[in-house]
Amino acid sequence: MFKAVFKKYKAKSTSLDLSHVINFDETDNTQTSLAPNDNTVQRLDICNETELELLPGLKSRSAWKAYALKTHPGLLVIRNPFTERGLRYWIARCLRDYPRPPNIVNLNARLFDNIVREDWWKELNLCSDSREIERIKEGMRWTTFGYHHNWDTKIYDEHSKSPFPKDLSSLCRFFANILGFQDYRPEAAIVNYYPIGSSLSGHTDHSEPNRSAPLFSFSFGQTAIFLIGGTTLEETPSAILLQSGDVLIMSEESRLSYHAVPRIIQTHNTSTAPLPKEPVLGSNLLDSDLFQRVGDSNFWEPFDNYIKDSRININVRQVLSPSDLTLCSNKVL
């Protein structure tokens, strides 16, 4: 059933029917059924007593809206807790900074010059040929850092990793602490780049030795139809809309469930309007210069042009078991 639902939403030959897709914006009630197939969406209160200093670029926690799907235990969605400046900051980090060495990107040496593979964003914006611009833009599909995901072996290697960004680590730990995952350690990340028309087929994330720690997913730019199923492809998945700024957490049973992105749809209205200056409290947790510069219209314009027809997703995992410091820790010598 999973493949059939994936095929239905991916198909371009028919008009897109969103009547069976969960849209969290359609409810503000404490508890309500939003979708067919008896999928119950429950509003969660995560403004608990945990006292944590708010990170720059996040809305006040009293404004957050969080949801759970009862039929998928452990699946949580926080509906865009970011300010406009916060959204811009993370989009800029994903486009300008994260695809640079020593991080690994998908760009093939046979198709792209070294100068493009080493600073993709810079070369994209220096290019003046429209066809080449489109080729370079759509060529970028993923970058990895921390422990690098090996797409062939599906096995992590202690000798294949790059530094994990401090700002992203702080962001993940912040959400983890609020949700009760106090021991969470962000150790591997994949940033996926989705042009309109692209998709991600059904799969499970099971490469990590630690499969009990939650998986954090951050969406930016255009909207994704996200499918979440069960432990086999025979189970019918639920479809939800993931919009710009949404934070999805897969824990408990949902951590090892099949999931996919059959379609990206253009629903997010972008803007190059200037943003008022704001103080950067906790500036040691992020790039304070970039945080201010994204409020400038001229600086922000190329980033805005990119997300007009693209989605960015940051997917973060804990690789190691709590007692391990390296992948070699649990090996018998």
Side-chain angles (χ1 to χ4, degrees), residues 63-106:
W64 291 15
K65 296 179 181 180
Y67 306 88
L69 268 63
K70 287 187 175 181
T71 49
H72 299 280
L75 185 78
L76 310 172
V77 175
I78 303 174
R79 179 72 182 93
N80 186 19
F82 296 94
T83 64
E84 178 61 28
R85 188 180 294 271
L87 289 173
R88 291 186 181 189
Y89 175 84
W90 292 107
I91 290 168
R93 285 287 275 157
C94 289
L95 294 175
R96 188 192 71 169
D97 301 330
Y98 292 159
R100 291 176 177 171
N103 300 341
I104 296 176
V105 298
N106 68 289

Side-chain angles (χ1 to χ4, degrees), residues 57-251:
L58 290 175
K59 301 172 185 174
S60 169
R61 283 173 57 190
S62 62
W64 291 15
K65 296 179 181 180
Y67 306 88
L69 268 63
K70 287 187 175 181
T71 49
H72 299 280
L75 185 78
L76 310 172
V77 175
I78 303 174
R79 179 72 182 93
N80 186 19
F82 296 94
T83 64
E84 178 61 28
R85 188 180 294 271
L87 289 173
R88 291 186 181 189
Y89 175 84
W90 292 107
I91 290 168
R93 285 287 275 157
C94 289
L95 294 175
R96 188 192 71 169
D97 301 330
Y98 292 159
R100 291 176 177 171
N103 300 341
I104 296 176
V105 298
N106 68 289
L107 300 177
N108 192 303
R110 292 175 298 174
L111 301 176
F112 296 94
D113 294 338
N114 283 342
I115 193 171
V116 175
R117 291 187 292 117
E118 291 182 358
D119 201 335
W120 165 78
W121 183 247
K122 177 182 177 181
E123 295 306 312
L124 174 64
N125 286 282
L126 287 175
C127 187
S128 57
D129 181 273
S130 59
R131 290 185 179 180
E132 186 65 3
I133 289 173
E134 202 62 23
R135 189 181 80 90
I136 294 174
K137 177 182 175 180
E138 296 200 0
M140 178 62 73
R141 292 305 177 94
W142 55 260
T143 182
T144 62
F145 45 86
Y147 281 103
H148 295 294
H149 182 77
N150 188 310
W151 302 92
D152 297 321
T153 66
K154 310 297 183 185
I155 297 174
Y156 290 99
D157 186 336
E158 186 62 34
H159 302 291
S160 179
K161 61 182 179 178
S162 57
F164 198 98
K166 291 181 179 180
D167 56 355
L168 184 57
S169 178
S170 297
L171 183 72
C172 293
R173 289 175 186 271
F174 181 80
F175 283 110
N177 284 329
I178 286 175
L179 296 170
F181 304 110
Q182 280 81 8
D183 297 325
Y184 183 77
R185 302 197 311 251
E187 294 168 331
I190 302 171
V191 181
N192 291 299
Y193 304 88
Y194 293 90
I196 293 292
S198 61
S199 61
L200 180 68
S201 59
H203 65 285
T204 62
D205 293 313
H206 58 268
S207 298
E208 297 74 29
N210 186 340
R211 300 185 185 96
S212 59
L215 183 153
F216 285 86
S217 172
F218 303 90
S219 295
F220 302 106
Q222 296 306 320
T223 299
I225 297 177
F226 177 82
L227 302 183
I228 179 71
T231 56
T232 74
L233 290 172
E234 300 306 311
E235 299 176 57
T236 302
S238 302
I240 65 178
L241 286 185
L242 289 180
Q243 302 181 66
S244 190
D246 286 355
V247 182
L248 179 141
I249 301 95
M250 295 172 66
S251 64

Side-chain angles (χ1 to χ4, degrees), residues 14 31 43 81 83 102 106 121 146 158 172 190-191 195 212 231 263 284 287 298 303 316 322 328:
T14 57
Q31 195 171 13
R43 179 79 179 268
T83 64
N106 68 289
W121 183 247
E158 186 62 34
C172 293
I190 302 171
V191 181
S212 59
T231 56
R263 195 155 179 170
N284 60 317
D287 182 336
N298 291 330
F303 300 99
V316 181
C328 304

